[in-house]
Amino acid sequence: MTAALRFDPIRLPSECEQLRKEVRAFLAEEIAAGTFDPHKPNREDTDVPEFSRKVGARGWLGMTWPKKYGGHERSFLERYVVTEEMRVANAPTRRFFVADRQSGPVLLKYAPENIKMDILPRICRGEVCFAIGMSEPNSGSDLFAAKTRATKTDGGYLINGTKIWTSSAHIADYMIAIFRTSPPTKENRRHGLTQFLVKMKQPGIQVNPIGQITGQYEFNEVVFTDFFVPDDHVLGEIDGAWKQATSELAYERSGPERFLETYYVLTELVRAVGTNPDTRSAEGIGRLVAQVHTMRRMSVSVAGMLQAGKEPVVEASIVKDIGTVWEQQLPHRVRDLAAFVEETATNRETLEKQLDFAIKTAPKLTIQGGTTEVLRGIIARGLGLR
Amino acid sequence: MAESENIVAETAEKIFADLADAQTINRDNKGEWKAPLWQALTDAGLPLSWVDEDCGGSGASLAEGFSVLSAAGRFAIAVPLAETMLAGWLLAQAKITSPDGEMTVVPASPKDRMTVNADGSLSGKARSVPFAKAAKHFAVLASDAKGGVSIALVDATKGRIETGLNLGGDNSDTVTLDKVQPVTIKPAPKGFDQTRLMLMGGVARSLQIAGALESMLEISVRYSNERIAFEKKISKFQAVQHNLARLAGESAAALAAATSAADAIANATSFNDEVFLEAVAAKIRCAEAAEKGGAIAHQVHGAIGFTNEHILHRYSLRALAWRDDFGSESYWAVELGKLVCNRGADELWPLVASR
């Protein structure tokens, strides 16, 4: 078959269930202590450093990494459980999530030993925040159009140019970024980009906030002016970052965060509808639950493939494509059904506030981490169409 | 569920490839392909996959039987294989030996009820019973006035059959039993009820729909690499690529939902809310995928796919027809929605994340 897709029905092993209980108990404690409000995804203060350190202390960061770097040598499936419980609870994961999901694995693979020993244990303790410097003005999804230059100088490189849409750059301690070390070649327009570890909060970097239509402040423009990066901060192959960057993107494609970002509106809808739904509400809720269940089964299946050491590029792209389209539509479908909710429903106000926020959030979901169009291009390649 | 690990599914796949080639069947107006196919399936013991050897079956596991159904879906098989497997499974629940030949299950919709009368005869009307006309026997689930549930083997000639056709052109008939004495009737095991039968049928249909979508994806990709328009292969147009990527997504979703539900049932120790979620979610999501995926497959094929002579309709129309059997997606969505609301908002995530 041209396009044999596999989604084996992976079940989470029993150790995951024990872990899930621990995570739920921890989150319940934090909610009770007022660390965060699970009913308010639109928090003003999404950066909660002490929460990160507590999560690190529990051993829930760097879960799959080697112990010598502070990791816990646990499975991808265990990490999956922690991620989904945090996401569903609307926990403030901003400070550690990117480092745990994406930057840490890149460092593990490409950083020199001294850097690994320095930074990875701190990520595991929840002490450091990472940003990802890929997009630039007029590049975005077209990664290979990046122009920000890294020019060789004594003992390192001088960086000049601008990154944009950089989430968390304003709180980040480090950024893993791609910069242009050579022009693209005629044969390979992907050639000439190199991945660097950038220490933030240094002279030569200016971080300018960009407000979002949700009212949140999350991403930034980052301007580099003769910013110095030492030689040992080069990650991997000079001019060969495109291979590394695309495999890095695979980490952010199929996880629970790719279909659960607006999930809270479904929970609040069920609460507002109450225990005796009319037929229309029951049907609408039933369909949405069937859909989220299916998404999750697909996502768990891909986590199982990652655990087995496979590279499910097409499957992961499919999960992200239909997952993000689903989480984008979800608030609108919940809004359809919310029209029939009783005026007296106890959580009506919460539901309405959540819907406003989720509907404002929705447009970005199919853009971040690879647009729908880019993903469908990857899937088409996997089908043998290009 | 992996085919390579499953000799029963491999056997089925080989028989389908040899005797149920879509192109050949599509050209055969007289239906002459049916007899040799059924004979080969019978010789391989596939129709009674789920019946123990001491009851005349081949004693395959639930999982093995489910992968036979996946394969049957990939070939959009239009003989009562799934129905006979389900009927044999139902009869086996009450330790009733399966007879030879085609069977189907009655009722095939959660809204229809069959009744056991005081004299042990059966009465009732069941709509949209797949392949009733082709069946030699019915496996009937019926309840008596006291709420007791029985399973019966019924000689098909004793029932009244009004012929109907589903969207795919296969028999989907109305079966009326009017005080019909069954060949055998026995009480169903404790806890077994009509919902259980409908969900088993629904998972069978989900696997068939997922299989049909896999084939629609395959033939659509192939066609897009052959068809030239505007001086290039249509597979080189980004709009076509994106449509095929979406078809792959729907196919993948159906496959994931159906195989997960089959796995859940094959390994279930009790029929709890989690297994219910798996089974109905598969039926709902596969039905949605049949609609979206089938539309894309036709779009990619253009007008040729809309003709009788092309094989696409063998998959697309059956996938659409299978949505209606054993409870439509709308029916099950209402049931699932009620269950979710009844458990309460804070129990939704634990249910979804239970496996």
Side-chain angles (χ1 to χ4, degrees), chain A residues 54-356:
Chain A
K54 283 185 206 165
V55 173
R58 293 279 175 145
W60 296 335
L61 296 176
M63 285 178 76
T64 61
W65 309 349
K67 285 186 177 164
K68 73 184 267 208
Y69 302 121
H72 303 280
E73 298 182 7
R74 299 181 79 164
S75 72
F76 274 97
L77 296 173
E78 287 172 292
R79 182 180 175 276
Y80 187 95
V81 165
V82 174
T83 307
E84 67 178 0
E85 290 298 326
M86 296 264 175
R87 181 66 49 170
V88 165
N90 279 323
T93 59
R94 164 169 310 283
R95 178 160 278 264
F96 61 77
F97 192 65
V98 165
D100 180 63
R101 172 177 73 179
Q102 213 159 331
S103 313
V106 170
L107 294 178
L108 267 174
K109 216 164 169 186
Y110 301 111
E113 190 62 22
N114 63 316
I115 302 250
K116 285 190 205 176
M117 289 306 286
D118 173 28
I119 297 178
L120 292 172
R122 287 156 57 210
I123 295 179
C124 294
R125 291 197 298 268
E127 293 169 0
V128 284
C129 177
F130 268 76
I132 300 166
M134 294 231 191
S135 294
E136 293 186 11
N138 304 317
S139 80
S141 276
D142 182 8
L143 202 59
F144 312 118
K147 289 196 182 82
T148 296
R149 289 197 59 82
T151 313
K152 190 75 189 94
T153 184
D154 278 354
Y157 291 80
L158 284 178
I159 314 295
N160 282 285
T162 303
K163 290 287 171 186
I164 200 166
W165 318 130
T166 317
S167 295
S168 307
H170 58 301
I171 55 168
D173 303 287
Y174 295 95
M175 175 194 283
I176 291 180
I178 53 159
F179 300 126
R180 188 153 290 288
T181 35
S182 314
T185 60
K186 235 183 186 166
E187 300 74 42
N188 186 4
R189 69 179 289 266
R190 298 163 168 194
H191 175 83
L193 295 168
T194 303
Q195 206 163 21
F196 290 87
L197 174 68
V198 173
K199 194 168 182 189
M200 303 289 285
K201 297 165 186 165
Q202 303 284 310
I205 299 186
Q206 193 186 331
V207 178
N208 303 316
I210 304 170
Q212 295 180 181
I213 61 174
T214 54
Q216 279 185 310
Y217 169 34
E218 186 177 14
F219 46 57
N220 306 274
E221 178 194 61
V222 183
V223 182
F224 296 90
T225 312
D226 282 338
F227 178 80
F228 179 75
V229 179
D231 278 330
D232 68 353
H233 282 43
V234 172
L235 300 175
E237 198 185 322
I238 303 276
D239 292 339
W242 62 275
K243 277 181 276 179
Q244 295 162 215
T246 46
S247 79
E248 182 186 341
L249 287 170
Y251 292 112
E252 61 162 314
R253 289 241 154 105
S254 61
E257 68 273 19
R258 292 309 184 192
F259 62 97
L260 290 175
E261 188 152 340
T262 57
Y263 172 81
Y264 48 85
V265 295
L266 180 55
T267 311
E268 283 326 299
L269 174 69
V270 172
R271 201 184 311 284
V273 163
T275 51
N276 278 313
D278 62 77
T279 304
R280 191 183 197 279
S281 303
E283 202 240 348
I285 289 168
R287 278 188 190 259
L288 293 170
V289 171
Q291 290 159 0
V292 71
H293 165 80
T294 304
M295 284 308 315
R296 183 174 176 279
R297 298 301 307 142
M298 297 174 84
S299 181
V300 170
S301 186
V302 173
M305 296 181 218
L306 291 170
Q307 178 62 29
K310 295 178 190 159
E311 285 187 24
V313 176
V314 178
E315 287 86 349
S317 298
I318 286 176
V319 171
K320 181 174 186 280
D321 178 18
I322 65 174
T324 54
V325 168
W326 185 80
E327 66 182 4
Q328 182 170 72
Q329 290 171 344
L330 177 64
H332 297 282
R333 296 294 77 78
V334 168
R335 177 182 165 275
D336 291 342
L337 298 166
F340 302 97
V341 165
E342 299 290 341
E343 291 295 333
T344 52
T346 49
N347 70 328
R348 198 187 162 89
E349 203 179 326
T350 306
L351 175 61
E352 281 172 4
K353 277 187 183 158
Q354 285 194 353
L355 273 175
D356 279 356

Side-chain angles (χ1 to χ4, degrees), chain B:
Chain B
M1 291 294 294
E3 293 91 75
S4 57
E5 298 153 15
N6 185 340
I7 190 147
V8 183
E10 273 178 27
T11 306
E13 191 97 39
K14 185 163 187 325
I15 293 173
F16 299 144
D18 290 346
L19 298 171
D21 168 62
Q23 202 70 265
T24 315
I25 289 174
N26 212 34
R27 290 198 197 106
D28 176 3
N29 295 325
K30 293 177 191 152
E32 284 172 359
W33 54 274
K34 278 188 188 175
L37 173 63
W38 187 257
Q39 190 57 49
L41 293 171
T42 304
D43 292 346
L46 292 169
L48 297 181
S49 290
W50 283 329
V51 176
D52 283 347
E53 288 171 27
D54 54 8
C55 284
S58 51
S61 67
L62 279 174
E64 287 169 321
F66 282 132
S67 47
V68 169
L69 292 174
S70 292
R74 287 197 288 278
F75 288 85
I77 288 302
V79 292
L81 175 63
E83 292 73 12
T84 306
M85 284 172 64
L86 285 169
W89 170 82
L90 177 60
L91 294 171
Q93 301 301 311
K95 309 262 186 287
I96 298 173
T97 301
S98 284
D100 290 338
E102 293 91 336
M103 291 195 283
T104 191
V105 287
V106 176
S109 158
K111 288 181 175 168
D112 292 334
R113 290 279 176 278
M114 307 307 285
T115 308
V116 186
N117 303 312
D119 64 356
S121 68
L122 299 168
S123 292
K125 191 175 194 175
R127 295 158 191 83
S128 306
V129 177
F131 293 103
K133 203 158 175 276
K136 296 188 172 55
H137 290 92
F138 301 141
V140 179
L141 186 80
S143 46
D144 61 35
K146 290 176 190 157
V149 181
S150 296
I151 293 169
L153 176 67
V154 170
D155 180 342
T157 59
K158 300 283 170 64
R160 195 168 73 244
I161 297 170
E162 292 160 63
T163 304
L165 292 177
N166 69 14
L167 278 173
D170 300 325
N171 270 106
S172 178
D173 313 311
T174 300
V175 172
T176 307
L177 301 183
D178 186 7
K179 295 188 177 163
V180 168
Q181 284 294 341
V183 179
T184 318
I185 183 161
K186 286 187 182 176
K190 201 166 180 283
F192 194 94
D193 60 8
Q194 192 167 327
T195 300
R196 189 84 181 269
L197 170 62
M198 293 303 122
L199 293 177
M200 188 72 175
V203 170
R205 286 299 188 250
S206 300
L207 288 164
Q208 288 175 286
I209 291 173
L213 279 164
E214 281 185 84
S215 292
M216 283 191 264
L217 175 61
E218 190 192 356
I219 64 174
S220 300
V221 166
R222 196 193 307 143
Y223 181 75
S224 76
N225 277 323
E226 289 165 357
R227 162 79 173 144
I228 309 278
F230 309 102
E231 296 168 350
K232 50 181 180 175
K233 289 178 188 175
I234 62 166
S235 63
K236 299 299 162 200
F237 290 97
Q238 198 173 47
V240 174
Q241 291 177 354
H242 285 196
N243 266 343
L244 286 168
R246 283 174 51 225
L247 171 55
E250 291 304 311
S251 174
L255 185 69
T259 51
S260 181
D263 175 75
I265 286 186
N267 294 302
T269 46
S270 71
F271 219 83
N272 54 18
D273 286 356
E274 287 81 25
V275 178
F276 180 86
L277 169 66
E278 291 268 8
V280 303
K283 189 76 199 304
I284 295 165
R285 190 62 185 85
C286 287
E288 291 175 349
E291 177 192 327
K292 290 185 197 168
I296 296 167
H298 275 280
Q299 186 71 22
V300 170
H301 279 83
I304 190 70
F306 195 64
T307 62
N308 261 334
E309 65 196 71
H310 197 278
I311 59 170
L312 178 59
H313 66 90
R314 296 198 60 78
Y315 306 98
S316 64
L317 293 178
R318 283 202 174 82
L320 293 175
W322 288 330
R323 295 178 304 173
D324 295 326
D325 297 337
F326 307 105
S328 72
E329 69 273 27
S330 302
Y331 174 84
W332 286 120
V334 170
E335 295 302 301
L336 178 57
K338 282 184 195 165
L339 175 96
V340 164
C341 289
N342 205 261
R343 286 171 58 110
D346 294 324
E347 289 304 311
L348 173 56
W349 176 250
L351 176 66
V352 171
S354 61
R355 310 166 65 77

Side-chain angles (χ1 to χ4, degrees), chain A residues 45-64:
Chain A
D45 50 343
T46 50
D47 176 33
V48 187
E50 64 274 22
F51 181 79
S52 304
R53 283 192 286 272
K54 283 185 206 165
V55 173
R58 293 279 175 145
W60 296 335
L61 296 176
M63 285 178 76
T64 61

